[in-house]
Amino acid sequence: MINYRKAAGVPVWTLATGDVQVPAVAGDKPMTAERLGELRSVLAALADAPIATLEVHPLPDELDRGRGIPLDAVSPLAQHLSQLITQSARSSSTAATATAAGEGLYRMVVPAKFAGQFGQGIVRSMAAKGAAGAIRGPLVNSAGTIAGAAKFVPVGKAAAAGAVGGAGATAGATAAGGAVLTVAAPLVLMAVAVGVSAYADHKRQQAIEHITELLEQLHEQKLEDEHSELDGCRDAIDKATAVLLDQGKLGVSLGLDSAVHAINTALGAADRRLARWQSALDKLPDGKPVEIGTLTESFPGVDDQGGTFRAHLELAALAIALKRRVNVLQAVEHAQSDPGNLFESFVRALKRDQQRLDELESSIAGVLTRLSALELARPQGLMPVFTTGEVDRLMRAAHRIRRLGDGVTVNGRATDVAIEIARDKDGSVVVFPALPA
């Protein structure tokens, strides 16, 4: 959690990915967090090109860096950020003071209008343990909100000027009616790409943990093989990520092609299972209770903590998470091949591939919602009285099936997306998973 008492004002840059024209709505006086959010929404509504804000906060004493993706000081993202800091410190006393230590926690927020272009389901809340509704992230407290009453100070006109490097990429200041935006497409592109990739990898880790636990109970060799094949894709994806984020070229030796084939195969299996689940639900009588035995024929283990059905759900979640990482890689590669049109290329390439994943994820969520709404019938038998064990099993099954709908989001609205970047004194950075802002 940020301790705002360490800084009198929080510098905030308004970043644009293109030369946009907007009226003067920012001003140069300190703003509250609420006012900054309003400003971001207004600018997003007025601008055609994606706009983001970038804040710098003191680096927290305790920070779980293992959740993020580390990049050294010579990586493009770290260099873009360093050059922006250098330019800003020359002309803004607030920025110079806040960045003098060389380290800090930078928070980039992309408005919902543009964040939605990355894919409807690509960023979801990650619940923190022990606090209902809390979100994991270094900038939030146990209640899930930004702490303190910080004053955000817009960085001035001169700070926006200058180049923010990158292959073929340019940056500078654009002004209209007194509003000044830093044109920094490479910085926004790389921050979004790494933050989304880190988020997808976090989801992969969650799925791996769940699958491992389930398969230890099931002892199903076929599911073990599916799991192993998917988990084996990580090495190729990690290497491809490292190469692309250093603006290198992907080669056949990385093994990404075979990894993509394995992921697509797993997605095909998820599609087939989804079709069977939907068909089974469609065959159930409307408004009538369903026996456990009937339900477990199509959803084996649905009434238990483990079970094949739950393993299939986690395998689908793993395949989706891996595919999202691959989609980001392909989008970055496409964007870097067209350096004069970085962000639009990135969005186009990413949006095409995200649609199928969004639909698959939404359809699975729909199955879980329908299952959770089912009413279980008493088992049919010759005896009119049921044992205590049978009653207990029915109650446990009903509770577990109802809980299938917990936390399920179907066709969720896009929210502002925050990407948090920890910068060390040597210029290296760690980019944390993208979060709803």
Side-chain angles (χ1 to χ4, degrees):
M1 183 178 70
I2 294 294
N3 181 1
Y4 286 116
R5 290 174 296 181
K6 294 181 180 180
V10 176
V12 57
W13 293 262
T14 303
L15 307 179
T17 60
D19 189 358
V20 297
Q21 298 293 315
V22 294
V25 293
D28 56 1
K29 295 181 179 179
M31 300 177 288
T32 63
E34 292 76 13
R35 172 60 181 155
L36 178 60
E38 293 172 358
L39 170 65
R40 195 161 46 233
S41 298
V42 170
L43 289 175
L46 296 174
D48 293 329
I51 287 177
T53 58
L54 180 68
E55 313 153 17
V56 56
H57 303 272
L59 197 63
D61 296 330
E62 296 182 4
L63 196 60
D64 182 9
R65 295 170 181 266
R67 296 187 305 109
I69 293 180
L71 300 172
D72 59 34
V74 299
S75 64
L77 173 57
Q79 288 184 332
H80 297 329
L81 183 58
S82 295
Q83 291 174 29
L84 179 68
I85 292 168
T86 301
Q87 292 289 339
S88 301
R90 292 174 183 171
S91 55
S92 169
S93 59
T94 302
T97 301
T99 60
E103 62 181 15
L105 188 60
Y106 292 79
R107 185 177 192 254
M108 181 180 292
V109 180
V110 182
K113 172 183 175 181
F114 303 114
Q117 297 174 354
F118 309 146
Q120 176 186 347
I122 201 163
V123 174
R124 299 269 176 84
S125 301
M126 290 184 286
K129 294 180 180 179
I135 302 297
R136 290 178 180 168
L139 283 176
V140 296
N141 60 18
S142 60
T145 57
I146 296 179
K151 292 295 184 181
F152 295 88
V153 182
V155 177
K157 182 180 297 187
V164 181
T170 60
T174 178
V180 179
L181 307 174
T182 304
V183 184
L187 177 58
V188 178
L189 165 70
M190 299 304 289
V192 169
V194 185
V196 170
S197 184
Y199 175 85
D201 192 57
H202 173 83
K203 300 299 288 184
R204 179 198 64 81
Q205 292 174 21
Q206 285 185 325
I208 286 289
E209 292 171 3
H210 296 156
I211 292 172
T212 301
E213 183 179 345
L214 288 171
L215 294 185
E216 285 175 352
Q217 301 172 20
L218 288 172
H219 303 291
E220 289 272 359
Q221 186 58 49
K222 186 176 180 180
L223 294 179
E224 287 274 8
D225 292 342
E226 283 189 53
H227 174 220
S228 298
E229 190 167 4
L230 275 176
D231 199 29
C233 300
R234 181 189 176 185
D235 185 58
I237 293 174
D238 284 347
K239 288 178 180 176
T241 301
V243 169
L244 273 181
L245 294 181
D246 285 336
Q247 290 189 334
K249 297 292 184 181
L250 296 182
V252 178
S253 61
L254 291 175
L256 192 60
D257 288 348
S258 58
V260 170
H261 174 73
I263 295 168
N264 287 340
T265 300
L267 288 173
D271 280 327
R272 291 190 296 274
R273 287 163 181 161
L274 172 63
R276 289 199 298 269
W277 297 337
Q278 291 172 327
S279 176
L281 286 170
D282 290 340
K283 291 176 182 177
L284 295 177
D286 291 336
K288 294 184 180 180
V290 182
E291 288 190 37
I292 294 179
T294 302
L295 206 57
T296 54
E297 287 179 6
S298 301
F299 305 91
V302 70
D303 60 330
D304 203 351
Q305 286 292 100
T308 303
F309 172 64
R310 295 176 190 266
H312 285 164
L313 289 176
E314 295 300 338
L315 284 168
L318 175 58
I320 290 171
L322 289 169
K323 185 63 172 177
R324 289 201 190 281
R325 280 202 76 183
V326 170
N327 287 347
V328 174
L329 291 178
Q330 293 171 336
V332 172
E333 183 180 29
H334 184 70
Q336 288 181 348
S337 68
D338 185 10
N341 190 19
L342 282 174
F343 209 86
E344 290 184 7
S345 297
F346 173 74
V347 168
R348 281 198 302 269
L350 187 58
K351 192 173 183 179
R352 282 195 301 269
D353 288 331
Q354 291 302 336
Q355 186 173 359
R356 179 196 173 193
L357 296 179
D358 292 343
E359 290 174 354
L360 175 58
E361 203 167 40
S362 180
S363 296
I364 292 175
V367 166
L368 295 178
T369 300
R370 292 175 67 182
L371 279 171
S372 68
L374 291 176
E375 179 184 352
L376 293 185
R378 296 170 55 182
Q380 300 294 324
L382 298 176
M383 300 294 293
V385 179
F386 298 99
T387 66
T388 302
E390 288 174 328
V391 173
D392 287 344
R393 183 197 174 199
L394 182 63
M395 293 181 65
R396 284 196 304 269
H399 176 68
R400 286 167 179 159
I401 290 172
R402 279 198 301 270
R403 291 193 61 186
L404 288 172
D406 291 352
V408 169
T409 302
V410 181
N411 298 324
R413 292 183 302 171
T415 64
D416 291 1
V417 171
I419 297 104
E420 297 159 4
I421 306 169
R423 183 178 188 267
D424 291 320
K425 292 182 179 180
D426 63 359
S428 62
V429 298
V430 175
V431 184
F432 296 95
L435 293 168

